[in-house]
Amino acid sequence: MPFPETIEKIVSLAKRHGFVFQSSEIYGGAGSVWDYGPLGVELKRNVKDRWWNAMVRTRDDIEGLDAAILMHPRVWEASGHVAGFTDPLVDCKTCKGRFRADKLVDAQCHQKPSRHPGDPGTPCVLTEPRQFNLMFKTFMGPVEESAAVVYLRPETAQGIYVNFLNVQQSSRQKIPFGIAQVGKAFRNEITPGNFIFRTREFEQMEMQFFVEPGEDMKWFEYWKAQRMEWHEALGLDPARLEFHQHTKTELAHYARAAFDIQFDFGGALGSQEIEGIHNRGDFDLTQHQTFSGKRLEYFDQPNNRRFVPYVVETSVGADRVTLALLVNAYREETVAGEEEGRTVLALHPAIAPIKAGVFALVKKDGMPEFAHKLADDLRRRFPVYYDESGSIGRRYRRQDEVGTPYCFTIDGQTMTDSTVTIRGRDDLKQVRIAADQVASRLHELLAKDRPHARIEDLL
Amino acid sequence: MPFPETIEKIVSLAKRHGFVFQSSEIYGGAGSVWDYGPLGVELKRNVKDRWWNAMVRTRDDIEGLDAAILMHPRVWEASGHVAGFTDPLVDCKTCKGRFRADKLVDAQCHQKPSRHPGDPGTPCVLTEPRQFNLMFKTFMGPVEESAAVVYLRPETAQGIYVNFLNVQQSSRQKIPFGIAQVGKAFRNEITPGNFIFRTREFEQMEMQFFVEPGEDMKWFEYWKAQRMEWHEALGLDPARLEFHQHTKTELAHYARAAFDIQFDFGGALGSQEIEGIHNRGDFDLTQHQTFSGKRLEYFDQPNNRRFVPYVVETSVGADRVTLALLVNAYREETVAGEEEGRTVLALHPAIAPIKAGVFALVKKDGMPEFAHKLADDLRRRFPVYYDESGSIGRRYRRQDEVGTPYCFTIDGQTMTDSTVTIRGRDDLKQVRIAADQVASRLHELLAKDRPHARIEDLL
């Protein structure tokens, strides 16, 4: 399987099959914002649901939350975002471009004929760096006055911290316990890019785990291992996953320890963060205590004492992990005995947007009616795609390209013995099974929760 | 069951049990923005998932979409929102309050001692009305310059229209078909209120159905009936649901027909829109064609012709329907043979945040261990709540208050014959079943998809 040199093929496949479209494309697009199409929305929903199941529903020590995007502006003073969530920018007087002062080596002028600093051509003339805040600012209430300035949250975490006591008391949780949230966040990035890797509007899946001080490094190690396992169970190639430890210079001033989980996207993007695990100590709760004047202490009843818990955070980008899953799954293969190769998205069946293709071999002899009925039956439990147009090989190729794990074909024999063929996306094997067993066998295959789709698993 | 006079009791229950908290409460709250707590996030997720299943996953004629909140600003010129999505506001020179000119009769000064017009006291001195746009405005890119003005979408529908051809072509759908989306929208309301009924940040579940002109009224009637059925199947009292037809003066200039589905919230709020079904004709697609210069026509292959489809829209507020479900489910009841009454949320089991309570009658004789094991087993498939503290009656009451349909209690007899009691929330009956049958019986009860939780359904 050739390693994809670039993500251009993914971008093209994503548009062609309705995974991801450029936002407002008919208007020339919105700056680095993307829309998820019919297959993309299912893929990303499956990723988010799997995270929610693993982190909230199947655990008794994590509670869910859905805090609003708009929060009180003081939240972002307490968190440090108003003062410190900035990039240093320089303007180029030659090309009028604007660049991050700390990333000049990667900068590329967007206006010809000047070039970025160091290249041949008309040189850039750069201003001194100035700090620009990355939060989107808006105004609540009918007039644009400074009293009503609010921000689009740049991270979901603060919604969890300010609700710490509300959640703890209403759920009657005892420390250690966590609060988890999936939601949109917004950053006015100067240099977004690489498709859905770095966008101005994105979705986070964050969990904050509240522990007793002194227990924090134990839980930090626990969550590092848990989160890496989660990515591996989704089928991300372990050889492309690695931990990256933040060095002292990378570490945020409040962080006691931090590791990224990186995935190797290949090509120019290379190995990049898809999740961060951070030991944030008591920084956040203490800041909110100071700024709000409200106590955010946990009451430890058995020992009759109060303390501000430490926080271990796991923060994963839903769009980034979706892109990693697409890149990881993308293969161009030759097929034995066939002239044309195939493109296949070898997605874990649990996150594949369509679980089964249902085909009538030819449009006659009752096959379409039989196939329609089977598809309608299956659709009550699984997302399925019915197809009767084009050659059967072409229909298989189409489902391979969108990652559909299994295909069922109704042919002439079906009309005599009520069996259908089932084909596995990954081993390309086909066997016949009874038509009235299709739903239960499909359920059985999906329940195995394996990252591949092979007919061997049936046998 | 007494009809709730107000929603204050719901607000109080919602905070106490972790359904809904005021956003940024420790900072005094953000203006009419709310956060969903551990039980609220599950309730609302269940409502949204049920809508998605009914509208997308179980149908072959509707595709899903997840368009971004930030769109190209021209979208809102084409849609008419830049010019027309305004409220007329007046300022009061006496109390400095700001009011909607068309709702002066409902206005209440927020500063004493002046009163709203007409009341005794210092009279308001009102300015002439001015138009204020209700869209939240922000700036994309690092400088606040007019070229980079973008808006937070005030509705999700436009994300569907601009993607009409991308979705249709990638999914190979033929007209009639629909595109559905769940997502946040934002309106800078002057007078938000009534808890989560009217908020500045809210979530919509919208579906746009594209049809051949001339077929539109047939589909309009179809969707009116479908959507009313959906609300009724969720258990909303049919006596509190009604259609409200938009009269000619209420009808938007582009709408060919419009009905609201209203729910009677009781008290001062009364009967209010929770969903709108609109025949929008070809207004939206035609506007986007004009403003983008791109064709948005459907190609009707069999007849070799192109046309701009008509659109039938169904638009439901996820927060409003969640509030309706809470109000509808809230009961204060006397219980035969007991002194204290109970408060119960008689939610449809499919949307109840917790499906089962699991209790050890007393904290000894192996009962907690048995109950913990049962709860852990169930939790792999269902959200459950384990409780061993306080009297058993108190534990039942607590689950009643949050709408948990079934409770399982481990008692002395369990330790000898491995049976447990199952109790139904709505009929309060209890029967004993084998402990190893709990998961399958719970599954069976939930699969019945009935709006109530009675033990009779087991028999």
Side-chain angles (χ1 to χ4, degrees), chain B residues 296-314:
Chain B
L296 289 174
E297 292 172 331
Y298 175 73
F299 178 53
D300 173 14
Q301 204 160 21
N303 299 304
N304 195 28
R305 62 179 183 139
R306 291 174 193 280
F307 61 88
V308 176
Y310 277 20
V311 171
V312 175
E313 167 184 71
T314 72

Side-chain angles (χ1 to χ4, degrees), chain A residues 384-403:
Chain A
V384 300
Y385 190 83
Y386 175 83
D387 197 355
E388 60 175 36
S389 65
S391 76
I392 191 76
R394 213 183 145 97
R395 282 179 263 168
Y396 283 135
R397 293 292 171 273
R398 185 181 158 81
Q399 293 309 311
D400 288 342
E401 274 197 39
V402 301

Side-chain angles (χ1 to χ4, degrees), chain B residues 96-402:
Chain B
K96 312 297 180 199
R98 174 161 282 159
F99 309 102
R100 278 181 59 167
D102 55 340
K103 297 265 176 87
L104 277 181
V105 115
D106 305 327
Q108 300 217 2
C109 277
H110 59 267
Q111 287 194 350
K112 293 180 181 179
S114 72
R115 301 284 181 280
H116 81 69
D119 279 10
T122 312
C124 283
V125 180
L126 301 176
T127 61
E128 286 298 302
R130 287 185 295 163
Q131 295 297 326
F132 284 89
N133 198 292
L134 298 183
M135 288 195 292
F136 280 95
K137 186 161 79 171
T138 186
F139 308 93
M140 194 180 275
V143 238
E144 289 177 22
E145 48 195 22
S146 62
V149 165
V150 293
Y151 301 96
L152 305 194
R153 64 178 176 202
E155 62 177 33
T156 61
Q158 302 300 325
I160 292 178
Y161 302 138
V162 301
N163 278 304
F164 163 64
L165 277 190
N166 269 338
V167 171
Q168 188 263 318
Q169 288 166 359
S170 63
S171 67
R172 312 196 301 173
Q173 284 283 359
K174 291 184 178 59
I175 272 176
F177 80 98
I179 305 176
Q181 168 162 240
V182 177
K184 287 273 177 91
F186 300 82
R187 294 181 188 176
N188 209 346
E189 300 278 359
I190 311 311
T191 48
N194 287 310
F195 195 36
I196 55 173
F197 180 78
R198 189 185 306 279
T199 55
R200 292 192 168 117
E201 174 177 342
F202 56 101
E203 201 156 12
Q204 294 186 308
M205 307 188 286
E206 293 198 322
M207 192 279 298
Q208 314 292 324
F209 205 72
F210 299 90
V211 305
E212 195 179 323
E215 301 279 290
D216 46 314
M217 283 313 294
K218 184 184 81 183
W219 284 106
F220 181 73
E221 293 302 329
Y222 170 84
W223 281 112
K224 262 180 64 187
Q226 285 283 313
R227 295 304 307 149
M228 183 61 97
E229 268 176 41
W230 186 83
H231 291 286
E232 290 178 357
L234 263 178
L236 287 182
D237 181 356
R240 296 170 81 162
L241 288 167
E242 63 179 348
F243 281 115
H244 166 74
Q245 180 172 14
H246 285 215
T247 61
K248 279 206 173 140
T249 52
E250 290 173 291
L251 215 52
H253 65 93
Y254 54 80
R256 295 166 56 85
F259 276 79
D260 293 337
I261 295 177
Q262 294 190 337
F263 174 78
D264 186 356
F265 288 88
L269 192 50
S271 189
Q272 294 284 348
E273 176 193 353
I274 54 173
E275 172 149 11
I277 298 108
H278 311 122
N279 180 345
R280 303 178 65 121
D282 61 3
F283 174 78
D284 305 280
L285 291 180
T286 303
Q287 285 289 102
H288 285 299
Q289 283 199 150
T290 306
F291 278 75
S292 71
K294 300 273 161 52
R295 289 250 166 251
L296 289 174
E297 292 172 331
Y298 175 73
F299 178 53
D300 173 14
Q301 204 160 21
N303 299 304
N304 195 28
R305 62 179 183 139
R306 291 174 193 280
F307 61 88
V308 176
Y310 277 20
V311 171
V312 175
E313 167 184 71
T314 72
S315 173
V316 55
D319 309 278
R320 284 190 182 188
V321 78
T322 300
L323 180 60
L325 288 162
L326 285 170
V327 169
N328 182 77
Y330 185 87
R331 314 237 195 294
E332 293 175 1
E333 296 178 341
T334 53
V335 179
E338 292 190 24
E339 255 181 62
E340 274 186 78
R342 67 166 186 166
T343 297
V344 59
L345 276 188
L347 294 167
H348 191 306
I351 56 162
I354 300 168
K355 305 304 181 199
V358 178
F359 309 146
L361 184 63
V362 288
K363 275 192 258 190
K364 59 178 186 180
D365 301 335
M367 292 181 214
E369 293 75 13
F370 196 105
H372 261 304
K373 189 175 170 307
L374 180 65
D376 291 346
D377 281 352
L378 288 178
R379 194 175 289 111
R380 285 180 294 148
R381 292 173 63 190
F382 312 99
V384 300
Y385 190 84
Y386 175 82
D387 198 355
E388 60 175 34
S389 64
S391 76
I392 190 77
R394 213 183 146 97
R395 283 179 263 168
Y396 282 136
R397 293 293 170 270
R398 183 180 160 83
Q399 294 309 310
D400 288 342
E401 274 196 41
V402 302

Side-chain angles (χ1 to χ4, degrees), chain A residues 54-63 171-174 176-178 209, chain B residues 372 375-376 379 384-386:
Chain A
M55 299 296 278
V56 181
R57 287 197 172 164
T58 58
R59 295 185 67 111
D60 61 357
D61 61 351
I62 299 186
E63 300 289 334
S171 67
R172 311 196 300 173
Q173 284 283 359
K174 292 184 176 59
F177 80 98
F209 205 73
Chain B
H372 261 304
D376 291 346
R379 194 175 289 111
V384 300
Y385 190 84
Y386 175 82

Side-chain angles (χ1 to χ4, degrees), chain A residues 403-450:
Chain A
T404 305
Y406 304 102
C407 289
F408 298 95
T409 299
I410 281 71
D411 57 17
Q413 189 178 333
T414 309
M415 308 317 292
T416 60
D417 69 358
S418 285
T419 62
V420 304
T421 63
I422 172 172
R423 169 189 180 270
R425 178 195 67 203
D426 296 338
D427 61 2
L428 290 168
K429 293 217 170 97
Q430 297 188 26
V431 295
R432 296 197 78 89
I433 62 171
D436 61 6
Q437 298 262 304
V438 166
S440 60
R441 301 315 284 272
L442 182 56
H443 175 79
E444 184 190 322
L445 282 165
L446 295 173
K448 287 179 192 283
D449 197 32
R450 297 193 185 153

